[in-house]
Amino acid sequence: MHCYPGPAQIAALPPQTLRQAGFSAAKTQTVQAVADLVAEGAVPLDAWALHFPGEQAVREQLLAIRGLGPWTVNYALLRGYGWLDGSLHGDAAVRRCLQTLWGRPDKVSQQEAEDWLAPFSPWRALVGAHLWAAQSSTAY
């Protein structure tokens, strides 16, 4: 049976292993730093799943980690904790789908995407997921 590696296993990997898997140097450092923090219990992902401290508390703790930005935090909140109000306005696929939806020849900016998603609160991440699905269904 194959399972994903745990945080301690990722933290223990030689950086070159992640680099060979296609990670940039910066992403390698971030992934291993997060893995270290999770393995040490400083970022208690499993505990948050049992007793979620709230979006703002999780957001602040994750954004304090070098290399994690708003998109990553919103995506982690969506996938890990089912939080549906993360704005995925920085996502390239979301912006491409909006470009197609609006029939624009030019790219949609992050600000335009954020402004468009704002009225959908508290379901902005869910709308982003629907845009991903629409984008992937039109690709074939």
Side-chain angles (χ1 to χ4, degrees):
M1 178 179 215
H2 296 281
C3 295
Y4 292 110
Q9 293 166 304
I10 293 171
L13 286 174
Q16 190 58 28
T17 301
L18 291 174
R19 295 297 313 271
Q20 289 172 342
F23 285 74
S24 68
K27 284 185 182 176
T28 295
Q29 289 175 338
T30 300
V31 165
Q32 290 196 298
V34 170
D36 278 333
L37 292 168
V38 172
E40 295 167 359
V43 175
L45 300 179
D46 290 337
W48 290 345
L50 296 173
H51 303 287
F52 192 64
E55 172 266 330
Q56 193 59 38
V58 171
R59 175 178 298 286
E60 288 173 9
Q61 191 165 354
L62 293 178
L63 285 174
I65 300 169
R66 185 172 188 246
L68 296 186
W71 184 93
T72 304
V73 171
N74 284 332
Y75 189 73
L77 284 164
L78 168 65
R79 293 297 304 253
Y81 304 101
W83 185 67
L84 299 178
D85 198 27
S87 180
L88 299 171
H89 60 276
D91 187 83
V94 166
R95 295 194 335 262
R96 271 193 311 274
C97 190
L98 288 176
Q99 180 181 351
T100 301
L101 182 67
W102 297 343
R104 287 181 40 179
D106 57 323
K107 292 183 178 183
V108 173
S109 72
Q110 287 189 34
Q111 187 61 56
E112 290 172 312
E114 184 176 21
D115 292 345
W116 187 83
L117 285 165
F120 292 101
S121 183
W123 302 286
R124 292 176 295 173
L126 186 59
V127 172
H130 280 283
L131 291 172
W132 287 334
Q135 183 71 23
S136 65
S137 70
T138 60
Y140 299 103

